[in-house]
């Protein structure tokens, strides 16, 4: 197992930019969080990522790993499209490399989380793994036969857009009945508020499951939708283990107990794969970006771009 | 491209056993079809497969390839479980090898069809391919990043059990709302008969689409269910191309036109992958079993079993 060593990682999320510098033993030596300035346009978002990376780079840092949601071109270091961030064809890795004069890698945030799960979490001994990241959105990293699945255009793992209810809730993607429209944290809060009560986070809702029938209902609908999507994913890919990660995974047994029930209910003809909570917490993407940065070499496009400005 | 040469293939289906001997240029020199004697018990089914293989073997045949539905242990040549055939832990490859004294391979019928599609059909130039075989049941072969997906227990590709309608039609698997409960040929006939009309095959129904509103309705529900399941599969695996194979694929445009519409409708946020009809007809599984037989070597378990009875 390789732990991140002397790298800076930046996780560009829809609401928050998280960054950390990891030392030789994979310990975060320093970290920061800033709100993602999505309302101020693409240039401001890129500048915020550059600022976060630059603030943490020290002389012993050998590379920087970025991760972001959306359609990510890992080889070119470009965010092809990220609706929640307002970015399109954004050369994020090159922008950071120009500032820090180091090799910079860019990976999809969920695939980064999946990488972290395989190296530091519950995926080390498993060749057929699904890592579902439950956050503002809902996406998954898929490992099949020991290999990460990327798909024809790099968009494999859009787990949140599995349709679970024909003609169901309208999703931000334009479809109806997507799993994400029930089970993502944003959907949970939106659906709960519709009952007239107020909540800011998924945790506000899970804290009221015993006392508020509306909270219990939207949570039951969320976990059922997640279970249904996992049924689908299991019949197609025959996972050995399913790991739930991201902010909502902090719900622990409140999440796994109904999800396991829903999954087994939908798999009458076979045994359901194990469903576990990731031990990596909400920073799995950040850790994965750091691990990915360890793969950076002098031949990465971002580094080539940086070298045009001279050696460091 | 390698074409099957001097091999015998046997496709053990739920209703029919198909077999053929392929010559040096992949041409079927001789073929036969017999009804699958499922009602007479497992031994009779195995004996029928042995009989079909034996009838076609000639001195120039170098190996025999079998394929069957269910949970197939390819390495051991054993059908672990096949509900429609009434088989459990059946060493089919060894039974045939004992009779024909040749190397014998066993592959899942749909993965065999997928292999044929990659070598002889529409999958040669594609690394991210889905081959859906529409027959008595509904299953798929998945190729991702150029590799066939098998899953943790060899059951990946159970496409027919993707849930498309919460609390929908009861499926033979025990779940409700599976794609197969609408879109498999058997489901189509069963649902049409419920309207009081009679039909024996899917073709009987597609022949009446213009004149019988009940036929048009069950067909529309079948193609919609198939499209919904393809949406799910696409968001998870990001296929480049989808190939429809098996008996029902003979419907051609009557199938692809509504399926393409349903698929694109459910993929509002991205372009749908191409949906094509397999050029291999209903014998794709048989062809794939023949291709798989070409990989047989003296070290296969089935051959080892045959060798116990002495060299040929």
């Amino acid at each position: 197992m390789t732990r991140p060593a002397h790298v800076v990682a930046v996780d560009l999320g829809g609401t928050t930019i998280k960054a950390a510098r990891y030392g030789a033993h994979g310990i975060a030596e320093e970290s920061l969080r800033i709100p993602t300035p999505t309302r101020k346009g693409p240039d401001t978002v890129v500048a915020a990522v550059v600022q976060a990376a630059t603030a943490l780079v020290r002389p012993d840092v050998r590379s920087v790993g970025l991760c972001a949601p959306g359609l990510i071109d890992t080889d070119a270091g470009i965010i092809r499209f990220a609706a929640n961030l307002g970015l399109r064809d954004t050369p994020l890795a090159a922008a950071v490399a120009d500032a820090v004069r180091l090799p910079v890698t860019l990976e999809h945030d969920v695939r980064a989380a999946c990488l972290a799960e395989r190296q530091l979490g519950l995926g080390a001994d498993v060749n057929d793994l699904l890592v579902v990241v439950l956050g503002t959105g809902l996406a998954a990293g898929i490992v099949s036969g020991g290999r990460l699945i990327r798909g024809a255009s790099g968009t494999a793992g859009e787990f949140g857009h599995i349709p679970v209810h024909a003609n169901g809730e309208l999703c931000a993607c334009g479809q109806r009945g997507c799993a994400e429209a029930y089970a993502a944290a944003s959907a949970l809060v939106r659906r709960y508020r519709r009952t007239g009560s107020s909540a800011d986070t998924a945790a506000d809702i899970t804290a009221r499951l015993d006392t508020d029938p509306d909270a219990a209902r939207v949570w039951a609908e969320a976990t059922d939708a997640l279970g249904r999507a996992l049924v689908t994913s299991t019949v197609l890919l025959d996972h050995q283990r399913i790991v739930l990660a991201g902010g909502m995974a902090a719900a622990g047994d409140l999440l796994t107990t109904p999800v396991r029930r829903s999954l087994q209910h939908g798999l009458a003809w076979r045994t359901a794969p194990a469903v576990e909570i990731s031990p990596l917490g909400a920073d799995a993407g950040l850790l994965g970006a750091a691990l990915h940065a360890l793969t950076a070499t002098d031949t990465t496009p971002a580094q080539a771009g940086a070298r045009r400005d001279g050696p460091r």
Side-chain angles (χ1 to χ4, degrees), chain A:
Chain A
M1 191 185 73
T2 310
R3 295 186 79 93
H6 299 281
V7 295
V8 164
V10 184
D11 180 350
L12 169 55
T15 49
T16 306
I17 295 171
K18 294 187 282 193
R21 186 180 63 250
Y22 292 95
H25 299 287
I27 310 293
E29 295 174 339
E30 192 180 358
S31 65
L32 62 83
R33 291 171 146 256
I34 53 177
T36 308
T38 41
R39 292 189 183 180
K40 295 180 184 167
D43 291 348
T44 315
V45 172
V46 171
V49 172
V50 169
Q51 180 197 339
T54 308
L56 295 176
V57 165
R58 296 286 178 275
D60 62 353
V61 168
R62 56 183 254 200
S63 55
V64 174
L66 313 174
C67 71
L71 178 50
I72 304 298
D73 185 336
T74 300
D75 291 340
I78 291 173
I79 299 179
R80 292 291 174 204
F81 182 58
N84 292 338
L85 297 169
L87 300 182
R88 189 183 286 273
D89 293 325
T90 305
L92 190 68
V96 174
D98 281 347
V100 302
R101 309 293 168 91
L102 288 172
V104 178
T105 60
L106 173 67
E107 180 55 289
H108 187 270
D109 56 358
V110 171
R111 286 199 285 264
C114 192
L115 178 66
E117 203 63 47
R118 292 195 77 198
Q119 294 204 26
L120 305 169
L122 293 176
D125 57 337
V126 176
N127 276 329
D128 292 274
L129 174 74
L130 185 77
V131 177
V132 182
V133 180
L134 294 129
T136 312
L138 189 59
I142 303 166
V143 175
S144 179
R147 293 201 326 169
L148 194 63
I149 300 290
R150 293 184 177 273
S153 59
T155 64
E158 284 289 352
F159 183 90
H161 299 294
I162 293 177
V164 296
H165 291 294
N167 308 313
E169 288 267 340
L170 187 63
C171 180
C173 77
Q175 286 176 228
R176 285 192 171 275
C178 294
E180 184 170 303
Y182 299 86
S186 55
L188 197 68
V189 168
R190 186 183 67 243
R191 301 186 81 233
Y192 179 66
R193 283 180 180 164
R194 251 190 243 154
T195 69
S197 304
S198 66
D200 291 325
T201 66
D204 292 342
I205 294 164
T206 52
R208 295 172 206 171
L209 296 183
D210 288 338
T211 54
D212 181 345
D214 288 330
R217 180 180 55 78
V218 297
W219 184 250
E221 288 168 355
T223 56
D224 181 66
L226 179 55
R228 287 176 189 272
L230 291 173
V231 167
T232 291
S233 178
T234 301
V235 299
L236 273 177
L237 289 156
D238 184 19
H239 312 299
Q240 186 176 350
R241 185 176 297 157
I242 294 166
V243 176
L244 305 181
M248 271 175 66
D253 289 348
L254 294 176
L255 182 64
T256 52
T257 301
V259 166
R260 285 176 187 144
R261 192 167 51 224
S262 170
L263 178 61
Q264 187 60 72
H265 180 75
L267 291 174
W269 54 285
R270 58 161 285 168
T271 307
V275 178
E276 308 293 348
I277 296 285
S278 168
L280 302 180
D283 285 345
L286 196 62
L287 276 167
L291 290 166
H292 195 233
L294 290 173
T295 68
T297 68
D298 286 346
T299 59
T300 58
Q303 169 68 352
R307 264 197 262 134
R308 277 199 305 272
D309 299 319
R312 188 159 183 267

